[in-house]
């Protein structure tokens, strides 16, 4: 698709989808309990190229890559965990310290804009090598042919990055509860059942901006 990009005079971004997010988490030595999380986002970008050799537009798909680093508190744990589910041959692989797990939730990205620039004239360089499993979605390795133009996209992204750790919690438990009463059957008349339902006023009058509250019940 590179010759189409080189000949294009304008570009429009159609949509953006998240292919995958690679997560690397490392403890921070000088700040115990804190972890550095490096996120690499891979996006599938759908584009329309205009002004090429043919009349009209050409539809192409490409990959956009974005890196983000966050530092979060994940507490400390000095215990080791062993499990009966692992075989005897895997015993030497057990016994590592219990570390937290980093997770990221990504909402559907928003395609904001796209532009064509001379290759590397915008000050951007590829931030990582595209993994083989992602490159296979586009037919294998990307060509290393000379590039005249490069498409740069602006993407709106909403994410939630968390560190999750298993902890011990004390929850009150009760014995089995055996029912000693029979259920009272209600009327089989559907009209009587319908009359007991409150009228859904909120469905007909959606809340205005600012009426949604803070989500804490106040």
């Amino acid at each position: 698709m590179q010759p189409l990009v080189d000949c294009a005079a304008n570009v429009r971004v159609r949509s953006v989808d998240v292919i995958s997010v690679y997560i690397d988490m490392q403890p921070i030595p000088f700040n115990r309990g804190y972890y550095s999380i490096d996120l690499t986002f891979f996006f599938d970008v759908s584009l329309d190229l205009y002004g090429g050799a043919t009349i009209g537009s050409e539809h192409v798909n490409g990959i956009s890559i974005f890196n983000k680093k966050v530092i979060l508190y994940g507490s400390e744990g000095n215990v080791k965990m062993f499990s009966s589910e692992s075989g005897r041959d895997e015993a030497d692989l057990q016994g590592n310290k219990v570390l937290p797990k980093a997770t990221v939730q990504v909402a559907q990205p928003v395609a904001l804009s796209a532009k064509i620039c001379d290759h590397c004239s915008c000050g951007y360089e590829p931030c990582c090598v595209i993994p083989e499993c992602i490159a296979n979605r586009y037919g294998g390795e990307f060509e290393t042919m000379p590039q005249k133009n490069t498409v740069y996209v602006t993407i709106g992204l909403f994410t939630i990055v968390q560190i999750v750790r298993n902890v011990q919690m004390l929850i009150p438990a009760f014995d089995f509860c055996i029912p000693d009463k029979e259920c009272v059957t209600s009327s089989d008349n559907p009209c009587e059942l319908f009359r007991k339902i409150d009228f859904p006023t909120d469905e007909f009058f959606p809340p205005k901006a600012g009426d949604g509250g803070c989500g804490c019940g106040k």
Side-chain angles (χ1 to χ4, degrees):
M1 296 298 180
Q2 186 59 42
L4 297 176
V5 177
D6 292 340
C7 296
N10 199 2
V11 63
R12 181 178 70 90
V13 57
R14 281 190 177 185
S15 61
V16 179
D17 291 316
V18 180
I19 301 175
S20 182
V21 182
Y22 283 20
I23 306 174
D24 180 63
M25 184 181 68
Q26 297 293 335
I28 300 179
F30 55 84
N31 204 345
R32 297 180 61 181
Y34 285 84
Y35 296 82
S36 174
I37 304 174
D38 292 290
L39 306 172
T40 304
F41 296 84
F42 294 91
F43 302 97
D44 174 73
V45 183
S46 177
L47 302 170
D48 285 329
L49 300 174
Y50 299 92
T54 60
I55 300 176
S57 63
E58 292 283 351
H59 176 246
V60 300
N61 281 69
I63 292 179
S64 181
I65 305 172
F66 173 67
N67 285 339
K68 181 180 180 65
K69 174 180 285 188
V70 297
I71 296 178
L72 297 177
Y73 181 73
S75 189
E76 299 180 73
N78 295 321
V79 299
K80 295 183 178 181
M81 180 177 293
F82 299 87
S83 173
S84 61
E85 296 178 353
S86 301
R88 184 174 300 179
D89 296 337
E90 301 176 358
D92 57 337
L93 301 178
Q94 299 187 74
N96 295 325
K97 287 187 177 181
V98 180
L99 297 176
K101 179 176 63 175
T103 64
V104 56
Q105 303 177 50
V106 186
Q108 179 65 30
V110 181
L112 298 177
S113 66
K115 63 179 179 179
I116 296 179
C117 298
D118 294 337
H119 183 58
C120 294
S121 65
C122 294
Y124 299 104
E125 290 291 340
C127 51
C128 72
V129 178
I130 299 176
E132 181 180 356
C133 60
I134 295 180
N136 289 336
R137 294 168 52 100
Y138 300 86
E141 295 184 0
F142 284 82
E143 297 180 1
T144 57
M145 62 184 302
Q147 298 180 2
K148 175 185 175 183
N149 294 334
T150 303
V151 178
Y152 296 94
V153 295
T154 302
I155 300 172
L157 190 64
F158 296 95
T159 64
I160 297 178
V161 183
Q162 296 175 310
I163 285 186
V164 182
R165 177 186 287 275
N166 292 330
V167 297
Q168 306 293 333
M169 298 183 66
L170 181 62
I171 301 177
F174 301 92
D175 200 357
F176 293 106
C177 180
I178 302 176
D180 54 0
K181 294 183 179 180
E182 295 183 2
C183 295
V184 179
T185 58
S186 59
S187 174
D188 295 332
N189 189 338
C191 294
E192 293 182 4
L193 179 62
F194 181 76
R195 292 190 185 98
K196 297 179 180 179
I197 301 177
D198 295 334
F199 187 82
T201 306
D202 293 339
E203 298 294 333
F204 292 88
F205 299 94
K208 298 181 296 182
D211 291 348
C214 62
C216 59
K218 297 183 178 179

